[in-house]
Amino acid sequence: MAQQEKKPSASSRIPWRTRIALSFVSTITDYSRRQNGTVNRRLLGIFGLKTSANPNPVNGVKSFDVTVESSRDLWFRLFIPTTDESRNLSSLPIIVFFHGGGFVYLSPDTKAYDAVCRRFARKTPAVVVSVNYRLAPEHKYPAQYDDGFDVLKFLDNEKNRELLPENVDLSRCFLAGDSAGGNLAHHVAKRASEMTSTFDALKVIGLVAIQPFFGGEERTESELKLVEVDALISVRRTDWMWKAFLPPGEGMDRDHEVINVCGPRAVDISKLDNFPATMVVVGGFDPLKDWQRRYYEWLKMSGKDVHLSEYPTMVHAFYIFPEVPESTQLILEVKDFVNKQCSKVVKN
């Protein structure tokens, strides 16, 4: 399924409050990056806004932190809807969510991501698992993808089912993420499609890639033209992040298959029959939008069920900010996508 392409608007409709917040975030992350390729985590800790899990329902959602493997700090924040609607449903889908941050920054307990996962849990409704994957440059590729896949295996393990509400349906599993998390969600979905025999109950039936972080050696038109419009994304910043993310070695450049997902070294997914239906979200003022549209076209050419959702006046990460009206619109659009895919599932 495809949505007709919308013409770009003449200007971005982002409130000044949001612009200031985005500028603050970009300034702090710029100062945290050292010339030797490391990150000043202490500085980030001073300015990072974190929030704890809350087992008491707040606005119809309760949350818990669950450890998967302490030796690599692999854990997730579990969000369970507690509204009458969610309790009365015979089954709830599960959304495994991967946060953004260029593979270098942020976590599930970042206040903004805690809030957005609560919205997904309440509005869909769904059980949401927000994954704390390892970050670069301390942990290079493929650590992040291994962490994401291992969380799926943890959820599928019958010994861990007691952590989830009784009415959760693992056969209605969705992977979702924004920016780097959108990239991660794609590659974890691909691995799950290649290794379906790994799972007993869990089945990935949907992928939500919100402004996914892809790239390449080429400089696209949007990367060059929108650099002064979007406070978060610039070629200088993304180049640093990709360098921090990749280990040294032959072929470890921005045309690597995990970065330039539909580029010269792209993996052929046309024969992956189990690759899930996908929703791709693009912002008209996101410098990464050319890569994201290519991703959509590549999925379509590969014969996949893919839907393009465009927000012509939005910048990168717009949906994190609830004061932006399009944020609510996107949450509801994801709800519709999840419900539509769930309606296709035939129970044995």
Side-chain angles (χ1 to χ4, degrees):
M1 53 184 169
Q3 178 172 310
Q4 185 176 2
E5 183 172 324
K6 301 174 185 176
K7 294 181 180 180
S9 176
S11 62
S12 173
R13 291 205 308 263
I14 297 294
W16 279 108
R17 171 185 169 186
T18 310
R19 292 176 191 236
I20 292 169
L22 288 168
S23 296
F24 175 77
V25 170
S26 63
T27 299
I28 296 301
T29 55
D30 282 347
Y31 274 107
S32 74
R33 294 194 297 273
R34 300 187 179 110
Q35 290 184 351
N36 65 359
T38 61
V39 174
N40 187 341
R41 299 285 179 198
R42 183 176 180 183
L43 175 66
L44 294 173
I46 294 172
F47 291 98
L49 296 175
K50 305 262 187 174
T51 188
S52 300
N54 191 343
N56 300 310
V58 177
N59 293 329
V61 179
K62 59 183 178 180
S63 59
F64 308 87
D65 288 342
V66 178
T67 299
V68 177
E69 188 176 316
S70 58
S71 62
R72 53 175 154 152
D73 197 27
L74 178 57
W75 57 274
F76 60 79
R77 180 157 292 178
L78 178 66
F79 298 87
I80 300 175
T82 59
T83 60
D84 290 340
E85 177 190 7
S86 61
R87 284 196 297 264
N88 292 332
L89 288 171
S90 59
S91 65
L92 283 173
I94 184 167
I95 300 173
V96 179
F97 180 84
F98 303 100
H99 65 81
F103 294 106
V104 176
Y105 302 106
L106 307 176
S107 62
D109 57 2
T110 300
K111 191 171 183 179
Y113 277 115
D114 180 271
V116 83
C117 285
R118 285 180 169 276
R119 293 176 76 193
F120 279 131
R122 182 174 63 253
K123 294 290 187 181
T124 306
V127 172
V128 176
V129 169
S130 183
V131 180
N132 187 68
Y133 56 88
R134 287 171 288 179
L135 299 177
E138 295 89 347
H139 304 281
K140 304 284 189 179
Y141 162 81
Q144 298 77 15
Y145 303 98
D146 293 340
D147 289 349
F149 191 72
D150 286 348
V151 167
L152 296 190
K153 292 195 293 184
F154 179 91
L155 294 170
D156 187 62
N157 190 326
E158 192 170 358
K159 295 178 181 177
N160 301 320
R161 303 276 174 81
E162 63 184 18
L163 298 169
L164 304 173
E166 290 184 1
N167 63 339
V168 72
D169 186 351
L170 291 176
S171 71
R172 291 176 166 91
C173 179
F174 292 79
L175 304 187
D178 70 294
S179 195
N183 175 309
L184 218 169
H186 165 80
H187 288 290
V188 174
K190 172 180 165 291
R191 190 185 295 190
S193 301
E194 294 168 334
M195 304 175 66
T196 54
S197 61
T198 303
F199 305 106
D200 292 325
L202 186 143
K203 184 177 181 181
V204 178
I205 65 168
L207 166 61
V208 181
I210 304 171
Q211 300 178 281
F213 185 27
F214 297 124
E217 290 295 318
E218 173 195 352
R219 301 303 188 197
T220 66
E221 182 179 358
S222 63
E223 283 179 308
L224 297 175
K225 285 191 173 182
L226 296 175
V227 66
E228 300 299 328
V229 179
D230 194 300
L232 286 181
I233 302 296
S234 70
V235 167
R236 176 176 56 85
R237 292 186 183 113
T238 57
D239 281 0
W240 190 97
M241 290 172 178
W242 289 130
K243 188 175 181 180
F245 171 73
L246 287 173
E250 185 178 353
M252 292 296 174
D253 57 32
R254 292 194 307 275
D255 277 336
H256 190 283
E257 64 187 53
V258 298
I259 298 174
N260 194 349
V261 69
C262 48
R265 301 176 215 158
V267 174
D268 181 9
I269 64 168
S270 62
K271 296 180 176 60
L272 278 181
D273 296 333
N274 292 310
F275 192 86
T278 303
M279 174 181 172
V280 182
V281 179
V282 177
F285 285 88
D286 184 347
L288 299 175
K289 70 176 183 178
D290 287 348
W291 295 113
Q292 295 155 2
R293 283 184 178 143
R294 289 183 190 182
Y295 172 60
Y296 162 74
E297 294 293 342
W298 173 69
L299 288 175
K300 190 165 62 170
M301 289 177 61
S302 299
K304 302 309 170 191
D305 181 1
V306 57
H307 168 67
L308 178 65
S309 177
E310 295 200 274
Y311 289 78
T313 61
M314 293 295 103
V315 297
H316 196 75
F318 73 91
Y319 89 108
I320 293 294
F321 301 93
E323 67 269 18
V324 178
E326 286 81 356
S327 172
T328 299
Q329 182 182 338
L330 175 57
I331 297 288
L332 295 176
E333 195 169 358
V334 171
K335 171 184 177 177
D336 290 343
F337 174 78
V338 169
N339 289 339
K340 183 172 184 178
Q341 300 312 314
C342 286
S343 70
K344 298 177 183 179
V345 176
V346 178
K347 297 302 290 181
N348 294 325

